[in-house]
Amino acid sequence: GHDVFYMRPSRYFPMETSIKTIIDNLAYCMQTMVEKEHACTEGVAFLANLDGWTMGNFSVSYCLEFMKMLQGKSPVRVRLFLIVDPPTWFDLIWKVMKTVLASDFRKKVHMIPREELEDFLMEGAPDYLCDDILGGKVETDEMIKDFVTYRKEVEKAESS
């Protein structure tokens, strides 16, 4: 299986956070993922939880920059991209989005309801998913704090 980058686009508000900040954050997180040999050689998976996502969270320029990053602007190979619980109107956006995706990348994208998520994940994976997705068991805030604490320690050790 692949390490999974989990994202919740309903937390992004284009009028409040710059696209550069979001893309820089994406690049940083992806780079940390490939510090593991398995992720570096085998690639990673993305899980975009669109529950609660509205047009207020959408920006064409953000979408384009995000897709560029996933398709090679970074040394990370994306092997699977799951779009979970997209709103019914997402098809309109997807029609535009997929035109900027390479055909081989489009094959990696799956739009699924939450109930099908376990079909794409290894057995026991929900035990490691954050609790803001139905079935996830790890407290989201604790997972974020743990990641930040770990990265601070890694970067402190690297700078020593």
Side-chain angles (χ1 to χ4, degrees):
H2 302 293
D3 284 352
V4 177
F5 181 108
Y6 175 82
M7 57 184 288
R8 184 84 187 254
S10 64
R11 293 184 180 139
Y12 171 62
F13 295 93
M15 303 306 261
E16 296 175 19
T17 307
S18 74
I19 294 168
K20 181 183 181 332
T21 298
I22 296 297
I23 298 301
D24 287 350
N25 182 55
L26 171 65
Y28 175 80
C29 290
M30 289 176 73
Q31 192 61 45
T32 67
M33 292 180 81
V34 293
E35 290 174 358
K36 292 182 182 176
E37 184 177 346
H38 181 77
C40 189
T41 57
E42 300 299 319
V44 300
F46 268 75
L47 192 166
N49 176 7
L50 294 190
D51 185 40
W53 191 67
T54 69
M55 282 303 288
N57 306 112
F58 179 73
S59 153
V60 172
S61 51
Y62 161 70
C63 182
L64 291 173
E65 289 301 313
F66 184 83
M67 289 304 162
K68 280 187 213 172
M69 177 70 76
L70 295 185
Q71 293 183 93
K73 207 175 163 190
S74 167
V76 181
R77 294 190 306 187
V78 176
R79 298 295 193 176
L80 176 66
F81 192 103
L82 299 174
I83 299 173
V84 181
D85 287 338
T88 54
W89 50 267
F90 186 75
D91 284 343
L92 300 171
I93 290 171
W94 180 242
K95 285 178 185 174
V96 173
M97 278 176 50
K98 70 182 179 179
T99 64
V100 301
L101 301 177
S103 62
D104 64 323
F105 189 82
R106 277 196 306 265
K107 294 174 188 170
K108 299 173 186 179
V109 178
H110 302 271
M111 284 190 282
I112 61 170
R114 166 59 191 98
E115 296 75 31
E116 293 177 21
L117 183 57
E118 290 185 47
D119 296 343
F120 291 88
L121 302 175
M122 67 181 197
E123 189 174 326
D127 293 341
Y128 302 98
L129 286 175
C130 47
D131 62 2
D132 73 349
I133 189 165
L134 185 64
K137 297 184 176 153
V138 181
E139 190 176 324
T140 304
D141 289 342
E142 287 304 312
M143 186 181 285
I144 293 167
K145 286 178 191 171
D146 184 53
F147 175 76
V148 171
T149 300
Y150 172 73
R151 291 308 307 167
K152 284 181 178 179
E153 290 300 316
V154 167
E155 291 172 21
K156 182 176 158 186
E158 288 173 351
S159 67
S160 303

